[in-house]
């Protein structure tokens, strides 16, 4: 059983071999930890900066056993880690952070919103549906247009569709495959914000300044941070993050997506129990970025400062965007992060760029 | 033959598996490069964050051949790379940066000072010695006390001794093993500074703000940067760095150790053709740190900005100092860098800590 704070030299396991795992591994290395990546993908981009790599399916019993022998604590870079994987690791005596409760809640959109309402966190109105006539009834209640999403899986706009009008309800349900789903009322928001926060093993909480997010085709395109918001909005976001983290007895970094309504009221869209794309600005904008913060939390170290050092415009490099690397390398203000992925498939997250400017020009 | 700028996804070879190689590997990963570490040490701390590791002696022909097959360009973390290793790599069609000229000059203290004088860079007075009576004659010329150093090898105060008085000359020569050496006049300096600079493949040069260094027992203990110096001193240091870099047709980061005399005149003590311990403050004090700068240079990318974002007090963690990690982790202003080395032998560089404060409180 791990003793916290984890000593430098200990190994931290990470489920997932993508860019989030890669940046977690780089942060862990700075603090003297070794990282073991478990990923089904051979030569995963995270594995190429990690001390150890296990190439296997996430639910492979031998792989989990091997991971449990070398890792003092295990974390993950994606929220769809199967519950049985976490249970097996825990059964092998390994700490998993964030814990199974956070994962379970985040993996089901109805459970997530029900949980949020239970801790007095506002969300859009919603109805759980599992049959075509449920969807019709949901539109009767919530009005159209409304958003239909699968309860489970789905990210970056996948597994969701707009119900344009009452007559579209059944067709929309067919479009997402007729699986258990949620209908969400349209939020009349003025912009999308997000808050990245962390909770340590001692219950301490730190919150980063808000980011303002711009999506294209359901995928995050740009984050501007610190977002220009009034103090009351920051305070409300911090309260929301703290309620979620505390109620889940959470350990690690969380990303909470917010809708800002006219007048500054916030609704939670969803949260991700992991480091978050909209927090990549912290890599160059803060002393302790979200990746080091997450490692600090899961290792039982004290959390670090979250004050901004610069204003950052983060731009995702999707697919062919990465071919612009040579021009980006010449931009004086642009800090370039490339993930070492091979093929630049359309929409694939290949890297990001943080463009810095002094805070006082904000 | 490598084409520059090097494309992301290319592999950069690094000779040496210590902390400098490790931090170079972390910087290279941010830019999407893979790193291959060649080091005789199994499980070297740099290898544990690198895509590939070759465990072999530096002059092992098979190892160099293997490295040449995967790496587009090779750099190094220590200046005592044998000339024949560089020649062999070049013979295999691999670019080595910085090049053999910089290495040759930096490997011999007499050649180094002769080179510096040749490019109008001031140094202490010196005399080359190879026999006991040469040392006596040197003291006749330079006076005592004077510093006797082996021409080759030696770092962190090793391979050198003070000649306390005329009568001590022959004994001092015996103390350093009676090998070819240099006698250096004592510099009457008020403090030790250093300048970290870089030169790109296009000849562009960037210089970081000066650091003020404090040594203990011949080993760097602390660097404070940006150092409080008058503008003329900064300008003089930049001129010195530019002369050295240009004369050597240098590619990469260089660390130049300086003595500041009363009145602000500078003498060069020595330079290291690599990233330098006194530049570790840039990891948290600048947008582009010395490690990314070095990778940018050897990869043929444009150099990045060197303006300071914060004032940094860098403290080396030597030997048992690293056992203070838990207290350091709790210091709000302290950014902790631990190197993942196993045994905390006395004096071994185990990590460093950068303590930040805002620039305007300087």
């Amino acid at each position: 059983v791990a003793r916290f704070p984890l000593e430098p030299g200990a190994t931290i396991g990470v489920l997932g071999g993508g860019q989030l795992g890669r940046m977690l591994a780089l942060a862990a290395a700075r603090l003297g930890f070794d990282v073991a990546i478990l990923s089904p993908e051979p030569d995963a981009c995270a594995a190429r900066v990690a001390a150890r790599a296990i190439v296997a399916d996430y639910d492979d019993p031998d792989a989990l056993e091997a991971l449990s022998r070398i890792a003092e604590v295990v974390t993950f870079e994606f929220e769809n880690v199967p519950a049985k994987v976490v249970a097996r690791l825990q059964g092998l005596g390994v700490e998993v952070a964030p814990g199974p409760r956070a994962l379970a809640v985040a993996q089901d959109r109805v459970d997530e919103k029900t949980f949020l309402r239970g801790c007095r966190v506002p969300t859009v109105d919603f109805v759980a549906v599992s049959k075509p006539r449920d969807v019709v009834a949901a539109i009767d209640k919530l009005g159209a247009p409304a958003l239909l999403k699968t309860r489970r899986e789905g990210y970056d706009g996948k597994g969701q569709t707009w119900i344009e009008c009452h007559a579209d309800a059944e067709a929309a349900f067919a479009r997402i495959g007729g699986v258990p789903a949620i209908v969400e009322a349209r939020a009349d928001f003025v912009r999308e914000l997000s808050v990245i926060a962390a909770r340590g093993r001692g219950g301490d909480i730190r919150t980063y300044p808000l980011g303002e997010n711009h999506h294209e085709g359901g995928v995050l395109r740009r984050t501007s941070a610190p977002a220009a918001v009034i103090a009351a909005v920051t305070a409300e976001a911090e309260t929301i993050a703290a309620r979620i983290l505390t109620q889940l007895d959470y350990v690690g970094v969380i990303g909470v997506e917010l809708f800002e309504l006219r007048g500054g009221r916030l609704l939670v869209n969803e949260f991700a129990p992991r480091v978050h794309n909209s927090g990549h600005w912290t890599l160059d904008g803060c002393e302790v970025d979200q990746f080091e913060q997450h490692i600090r939390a899961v290792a039982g170290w004290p959390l670090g400062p979250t004050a901004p050092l610069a204003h950052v415009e983060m731009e995702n490099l999707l697919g062919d965007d990465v071919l612009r690397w040579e021009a980006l390398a010449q931009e004086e203000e642009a800090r370039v992060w490339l993930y070492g992925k091979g093929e630049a498939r359309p929409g694939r997250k290949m890297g990001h760029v943080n463009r810095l400017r002094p805070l006082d020009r904000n």
Side-chain angles (χ1 to χ4, degrees), chain A residues 32 47 61 75 93 121 146 176 178 231 244 294 309 311 321 327 332 343-344 361:
Chain A
T75 187
V121 168
I176 63 155
I244 298 172
H294 186 73
L309 295 176
H311 187 280
D321 289 347
E332 189 78 5
E343 198 193 341
R361 272 204 279 150

Side-chain angles (χ1 to χ4, degrees), chain A residues 29-63:
Chain A
R30 285 202 302 268
L31 300 180
F33 294 113
D34 277 353
V35 168
I37 298 287
L38 170 58
S39 163
E41 190 194 346
D43 203 33
C45 75
R48 295 211 306 285
V49 297
R52 299 176 183 236
I54 301 171
V55 180
D57 288 332
Y58 296 115
D59 57 2
D60 181 308
D62 293 339

